[in-house]
Amino acid sequence: MALQFSTEAEDQFQTIVSRYPNNLAALLPVLMLAQEEFGWISVEVMDYIAERLDVSKSQVFSTATFYTMLNKQPVGKCHIQVCTTFSCALAGGYEMLEYLEEALGIQAGETDPEHNFTISEVECLASCGTAPMFQLTTSDGEIEYFEDLDPDRVDEILEDLNDRLDELPDPRDMH
Amino acid sequence: MDEKILSKFFDRDDGHKLEVYEDHGGYDAARKAAEMSREEIVNEVKASNLRGRGGAGFPAGVKWSFIPQETEEDKYLVVNADEGEPGTFKDRQIMQRDPHQLIEGCIITAMALDLRYCYIYIRGELKFTEDIIQDAIEECYDKGYLGEDIFGTDQDLDIYTHISAGAYICGEETGMIEGLEGKPGKPRIKPPFPAIVGVFDAPTLVNNVESIACVPPVINRGAEWFANLGVEKNGGPKLYGLSGPIKNPGVYEAPSGITVRELLESPEYGGGMKEGKELKAYIPGGSSCAVLTPDELDREMSFEAMREVGSNLGTGCVTFVDQDTCMVRLAARLAHFYHHESCGQCTPCRDGTGWSAKVLDAIEAGRGRHEDLDLLEDMTGQIEHSTICALGPSLTFVVHSYLDKFPEEFEAHIEQGECPFPSWSLDDTKPAAAE
């Protein structure tokens, strides 16, 4: 089925495009919107965006593959991005990453078979005073920071997420 | 500091609202600027000794004066809200807690330089701040503070938020301009500088969030007042982000030129090292600055004082390192960071950062050779001066300073064939070096 933005996303698309003197400039925010809408940035999504913005497919591919937040493979419903750079490394970022890996039974860079969780190790998230921390992106498009973490708090967060899994769409099924 | 200029709303949860901002004199500076000539505003900012707060420390007023006055085309302001320098977390506080001070700064800057459009370039990870800033922008449109003929002048100004999607290099101003144009954030060769050929080929001023947020107080209370809050050539109050194993990590407002010791030890700020932790080193302004040792604790937080010892004030966010931390591992971790974030267009950076990471990993794992130390110095030395932007050379500063300040740690890894420090892993069984 051909891709199409929902009515709500279409409104957001029009608002974004109206902010710029040319369509290409809208590409990054439009790709972020497309990821919220379609779960991940497949070549099919890139082609749809190229068509909508009337820019070349190669330009969209070039930009989409440069930026790390744009997932070129489907991730889990909950994408946990753990910062391990510098201040986080000094404050237990790696220990927390390991704790998460053990709790979820997957390594950084992996997604569980049910596509509920993905763990990524990421670079500095500008949260150095509240390390260790991670960013959580859920498939409903929310991005949230969890800071000053310890194992108990991580357990709580995972428990809450497990309760929400049923209501979150599987990014693989979003287009 | 008794009076808070940049952080007055940081401990409130309603400081982002226009009503609260205006109760505290918000937009008075914009009204005042509306009565001033463009030249008067620029001269005031020059005289305030405001230095760019994003890391480079270029005098803000001088940068402003590069924007051509007589031109028919629309000129742009791009606010660098792509905060991502490891160890740096101060701009985010302004974006979350005090967006109106940022917007008022944009308004005055636009009045001074006749800038028609402003984009606030927000890193994708900080998307949650976009909603806050967007709401503040809308409040301003409703009041007539943005749009046409703002504050009774003939200046038109529209402000938009722009969301990025994850790339450290977009913090570099020409990388940011490429990102804003929808392209991969590969920095441009300069000249031409953005002031002449910037975004959409138009004259463009790129300034950091904190720099712009300093503009309203400069105009409100005068350049002299602002300059006197700091030290020579470094005007005003400054936001300092303190991180590492200290008692009170966080963002604090203090005068420019305060000593690192006061930031670390004062109960008002860092409160000292955590119990059982001893200071081994500090990095004054984000990971790209050369590392310094405790004998430099009485150094002033100013660009000049830090340059005297081969480092940099950078973003003013200090990372403290304790005695249990392995400096080889920290350097290796940073080499991986720069390699990961290299845009790839300059070979010395793309390959040099990667090879440096490999050599550092080998030393850390106990597989290093004595000749690797010369190799590292030489290899990272070849990155400096041979790249378009400062990303690659940042690793030069890191590696050269870590080798210079902690040669014994590198030697110990090579001689012992293993890392003598506790690991960063949960199942660590190695003894601490201090034991």
Side-chain angles (χ1 to χ4, degrees):
Chain A
M1 201 185 82
L3 291 177
Q4 201 175 346
F5 278 135
S6 62
T7 317
E8 195 192 329
E10 181 65 29
D11 285 349
Q12 285 177 270
F13 172 79
Q14 297 296 345
T15 306
I16 292 169
V17 170
S18 73
R19 294 174 177 174
Y20 302 94
N22 65 56
N23 282 358
L24 176 57
L27 184 52
L28 276 178
V30 166
L31 281 167
M32 290 289 273
L33 174 68
Q35 180 152 293
E36 268 182 57
E37 181 77 353
F38 302 123
W40 60 291
I41 305 294
S42 62
V43 171
E44 194 187 355
V45 171
M46 293 183 211
D47 290 351
Y48 172 66
I49 298 303
E51 190 196 313
R52 292 301 314 273
L53 289 175
D54 194 23
V55 298
S56 73
K57 290 179 179 181
S58 63
Q59 181 69 67
V60 176
F61 187 84
S62 156
T63 296
T65 51
F66 187 84
Y67 292 86
T68 54
M69 286 182 75
L70 301 169
N71 301 315
K72 273 69 72 177
Q73 295 288 329
V75 292
K77 295 175 177 178
C78 303
H79 185 192
I80 301 178
Q81 292 125 299
V82 183
C83 175
T84 59
T85 320
F86 209 43
S87 306
C88 275
L90 297 173
Y94 279 99
E95 284 92 331
M96 197 197 53
L97 174 60
E98 247 179 72
Y99 186 82
L100 267 170
E101 287 174 336
E102 276 176 35
L104 294 173
I106 48 172
Q107 301 291 302
E110 292 179 349
T111 301
D112 64 16
E114 297 78 30
H115 268 244
N116 288 331
F117 291 96
T118 299
I119 304 177
S120 299
E121 184 183 347
V122 298
E123 300 293 357
C124 188
L125 292 174
S127 187
C128 320
T130 43
M133 60 81 63
F134 61 67
Q135 175 191 324
L136 172 73
T137 310
T138 42
S139 54
D140 56 1
E142 292 299 311
I143 298 178
E144 203 177 342
Y145 273 24
F146 291 92
E147 305 172 282
D148 284 319
L149 294 173
D150 58 32
D152 288 345
R153 181 77 186 109
V154 171
D155 289 344
E156 262 174 45
I157 297 166
L158 292 181
E159 211 170 294
D160 287 348
L161 287 176
N162 274 313
D163 290 344
R164 283 178 58 201
L165 285 175
D166 283 344
E167 60 200 61
L168 291 169
D170 184 334
R172 291 174 299 183
D173 304 332
M174 288 170 73
H175 76 277
Chain B
M1 249 177 79
D2 298 335
E3 191 196 349
K4 302 285 183 238
I5 312 296
L6 297 169
S7 62
K8 56 181 176 292
F9 298 138
F10 285 9
D11 51 5
R12 293 178 64 144
D13 54 14
D14 59 355
H16 60 284
K17 292 181 181 157
L18 180 63
E19 192 190 340
V20 177
Y21 185 65
E22 293 206 299
D23 279 349
H24 289 76
Y27 293 99
D28 284 352
R31 283 183 197 95
K32 192 171 170 189
E35 303 293 320
M36 295 164 73
S37 71
R38 297 192 193 283
E39 202 183 359
E40 280 170 343
I41 305 174
V42 175
N43 284 340
E44 204 67 12
V45 173
K46 269 188 193 166
S48 73
N49 288 341
L50 171 62
R51 302 279 286 267
R53 300 283 171 92
F58 197 80
V62 178
K63 190 173 190 181
W64 285 22
S65 65
F66 296 154
I67 299 289
Q69 296 277 351
E70 302 306 323
T71 170
E72 287 300 302
E73 55 186 328
D74 288 333
K75 293 179 278 189
Y76 289 84
L77 170 63
V78 178
V79 177
N80 188 338
D82 196 51
E83 182 163 64
E85 172 72 11
T88 303
F89 53 106
K90 62 179 179 69
D91 294 337
R92 186 187 143 192
Q93 298 295 328
I94 298 174
M95 293 151 70
Q96 267 182 294
R97 305 279 180 192
D98 199 0
H100 279 290
Q101 186 150 334
L102 175 62
I103 294 169
E104 189 177 11
C106 294
I107 289 172
I108 299 167
T109 309
M111 285 176 180
L113 303 168
D114 188 16
L115 308 175
R116 177 63 184 86
Y117 297 102
C118 168
Y119 290 97
I120 301 175
Y121 191 106
I122 303 168
R123 68 177 290 186
E125 293 87 344
L126 294 180
K127 199 170 188 302
F128 57 85
T129 66
E130 189 192 23
D131 296 339
I132 301 170
I133 297 173
Q134 193 60 49
D135 286 349
I137 291 173
E138 274 157 32
E139 285 180 307
C140 287
Y141 274 109
D142 290 345
K143 278 271 200 168
Y145 295 171
L146 290 173
E148 291 177 357
D149 299 333
I150 54 173
F151 294 93
T153 65
D154 57 3
Q155 183 68 46
D156 299 342
L157 174 65
D158 288 303
I159 302 184
Y160 306 107
T161 54
H162 176 88
I163 197 78
S164 189
Y168 168 72
I169 191 56
C170 288
E172 199 275 352
E173 62 178 8
T174 58
M176 175 162 290
I177 287 169
E178 290 285 303
L180 184 49
E181 291 184 354
K183 302 167 192 163
K186 296 181 179 176
R188 295 176 177 176
I189 291 172
K190 292 178 267 192
F193 288 91
I196 309 300
V197 182
V199 72
F200 312 127
D201 291 337
T204 302
L205 176 74
V206 185
N207 267 163
N208 166 267
V209 166
E210 188 189 349
S211 310
I212 293 287
C214 284
V215 173
V218 167
I219 296 304
N220 230 346
R221 296 164 71 172
E224 196 183 338
W225 167 83
F226 189 86
N228 286 338
L229 290 177
V231 289
E232 202 190 348
K233 293 184 183 167
N234 295 259
K238 170 89 190 78
L239 293 180
Y240 299 97
L242 311 180
S243 68
I246 59 173
K247 284 194 183 126
N248 312 315
V251 177
Y252 299 95
E253 179 172 347
S256 289
I258 190 174
T259 66
V260 184
R261 183 184 300 284
E262 195 174 350
L263 283 178
L264 171 63
E265 293 175 359
S266 164
E268 209 181 325
Y269 308 120
M273 297 297 286
K274 271 188 181 158
E275 218 57 58
K277 294 288 186 185
E278 191 187 314
L279 182 72
K280 176 157 87 177
Y282 74 90
I283 297 93
S287 66
S288 303
C289 303
V291 67
L292 295 171
T293 45
D295 54 325
E296 297 289 357
L297 262 188
D298 291 310
R299 200 143 277 279
E300 270 182 6
M301 287 294 280
S302 74
F303 285 98
E304 285 67 28
M306 286 301 168
R307 269 168 204 167
E308 259 172 38
V309 281
S311 191
N312 197 329
L313 181 69
T315 61
C317 287
V318 193
T319 309
F320 296 97
V321 181
D322 66 288
Q323 84 282 4
D324 294 331
T325 298
C326 172
M327 299 309 284
V328 178
R329 196 185 312 146
L330 196 56
R333 181 63 188 85
L334 288 176
H336 282 281
F337 169 78
Y338 292 106
H339 182 51
H340 181 263
E341 299 299 338
S342 173
C343 80
Q345 64 179 334
C346 306
T347 307
C349 172
R350 181 189 64 240
D351 285 2
T353 53
W355 282 108
S356 301
K358 284 181 183 169
V359 175
L360 284 160
D361 279 349
I363 298 173
E364 168 62 11
R367 290 181 279 108
R369 309 163 304 168
H370 285 286
E371 57 265 40
D372 286 341
L373 303 183
D374 290 337
L375 176 69
L376 261 180
E377 189 163 347
D378 178 53
M379 193 161 51
T380 50
Q382 288 183 48
I383 303 175
E384 203 184 359
H385 306 305
S386 57
T387 56
I388 291 173
C389 82
L391 186 147
S394 296
L395 184 62
T396 313
F397 304 140
V398 170
V399 171
H400 284 194
S401 70
Y402 285 47
L403 277 170
D404 179 51
K405 296 280 163 54
F406 301 97
E408 69 286 353
E409 289 196 20
F410 287 83
E411 296 289 351
H413 281 74
I414 294 165
E415 273 155 27
Q416 297 173 29
E418 62 174 1
C419 174
F421 289 91
S423 84
W424 282 339
S425 166
L426 282 174
D427 35 51
D428 171 44
T429 49
K430 279 184 207 159
E435 283 172 18

